[in-house]
Amino acid sequence: SAVISQKPSRDICQRGTSLTIQCQVDSQVTMMFWYRQQPGQSLTLIATANQGSEATYESGFVIDKFPISRPNLTFSTLTVSNMSPEDSSIYLCSVVLNRATGELFFGEGSRLTVL
Amino acid sequence: AQTVTQSQPEMSVQEAETVTLSCTYDTSESDYYLFWYKQPPSRQMILVIRQEAYKQQNATENRFSVNFQKAAKSFSLKISDSQLGDAAMYFCAYRSPTGTASKLTFGTGTRLQVTL
């Protein structure tokens, strides 16, 4: 398993502002994944963050809205830009330790509330 | 595209009893992975159990076991001797062996209540 730390754990933000979520892993991993979980909903993949290259975004998510950094093999950030109440969600960082099985290990999530 | 369906938004079980959570999926692939994840109120997603599609034997992890029916595309989770700590949201997830490594498709979840 892995220890995945996310900051902030929760935050209340004003409409139109941006917030950066940090994800720190206690071991080196090739790929990190950012998921969004809207209230009462399932998880939706936002993007895959690869070290040394641009993130790969899923349909419906764009870099201008969710810029991602991946400066090294243990750290990534997700920024939620120009927030609106619809961005109120839990944002989860996850990693794969076993590429053969692909099972994900998750951080504790960052709960954002946009007023 | 693969889809994962959990038809039970909520389930309830008495402590020490057994409960089964349903999951069906749609895929044209023959080799894939299936997972059950647990999300307690603390929010952290925890892997409960994993099943490889090429294995006929159902996976088991202590009190958790699955009933994997490949032809029916069904992947149910059985929790035996339920405990209060089992109360959580349970998500079924599918992983394709192709495309983006480890892109998981999640179901909508089943909220499990455990009563005394």
Side-chain angles (χ1 to χ4, degrees):
Chain A
S1 64
V3 176
I4 306 171
S5 303
Q6 279 188 240
K7 292 180 182 179
S9 174
R10 59 177 65 226
D11 207 340
I12 299 174
C13 308
Q14 296 298 318
R15 182 195 299 260
T17 63
S18 299
L19 182 78
T20 296
I21 303 167
Q22 299 179 1
C23 178
Q24 179 76 52
V25 188
D26 68 345
S27 59
Q28 293 185 338
V29 292
T30 304
M31 288 188 290
M32 297 174 76
F33 303 86
W34 287 98
Y35 280 83
R36 180 176 74 181
Q37 187 179 21
Q38 293 177 302
Q41 303 296 315
S42 186
L43 281 72
T44 302
L45 180 63
I46 297 172
T48 302
N50 301 309
Q51 194 270 335
S53 64
E54 285 198 1
T56 303
Y57 289 83
E58 297 299 308
S59 176
F61 297 96
V62 295
I63 188 172
D64 290 345
K65 176 67 176 177
F66 297 101
I68 288 171
S69 77
R70 184 79 200 276
N72 57 53
L73 291 174
T74 64
F75 187 79
S76 178
T77 67
L78 169 75
T79 299
V80 186
S81 303
N82 188 25
M83 285 185 284
S84 66
E86 292 70 36
D87 294 319
S88 297
S89 295
I90 298 172
Y91 293 86
L92 296 128
C93 170
S94 63
V95 303
V96 170
L97 298 182
N98 185 335
R99 294 196 68 176
T101 61
E103 61 199 56
L104 293 173
F105 291 90
F106 287 85
E108 293 182 349
S110 299
R111 182 186 294 274
L112 301 188
T113 302
V114 185
L115 302 178
Chain B
Q2 291 81 19
T3 58
V4 178
T5 302
Q6 293 179 249
S7 60
Q8 306 155 317
E10 291 190 6
M11 291 285 284
S12 182
V13 63
Q14 284 192 322
E15 197 177 18
E17 297 296 311
T18 296
V19 65
T20 298
L21 308 183
S22 300
C23 173
T24 59
Y25 56 93
D26 184 25
T27 184
S28 58
E29 296 171 319
S30 60
D31 191 19
Y32 45 86
Y33 293 88
L34 297 164
F35 306 91
W36 277 99
Y37 280 88
K38 170 185 176 181
Q39 187 179 40
S42 66
R43 296 200 308 266
Q44 185 161 18
M45 295 279 285
I46 303 166
L47 178 67
V48 175
I49 201 164
R50 177 187 74 236
Q51 175 79 43
E52 292 91 338
Y54 63 85
K55 290 186 178 179
Q56 292 185 331
Q57 186 173 7
N58 289 324
T60 299
E61 288 286 342
N62 301 314
R63 297 182 295 107
F64 299 88
S65 62
V66 299
N67 183 5
F68 174 49
Q69 301 290 327
K70 191 172 184 179
K73 298 179 182 176
S74 172
F75 181 60
S76 60
L77 174 69
K78 185 172 81 170
I79 306 174
S80 304
D81 186 25
S82 297
Q83 302 174 357
L84 293 177
D86 294 333
M89 281 290 289
Y90 286 82
F91 292 95
C92 177
Y94 171 101
R95 182 217 165 194
S96 169
T98 60
T100 302
S102 296
K103 176 182 176 180
L104 270 63
T105 301
F106 287 85
T108 51
T110 296
R111 182 175 302 281
L112 179 66
Q113 292 184 320
V114 181
T115 59
L116 294 172

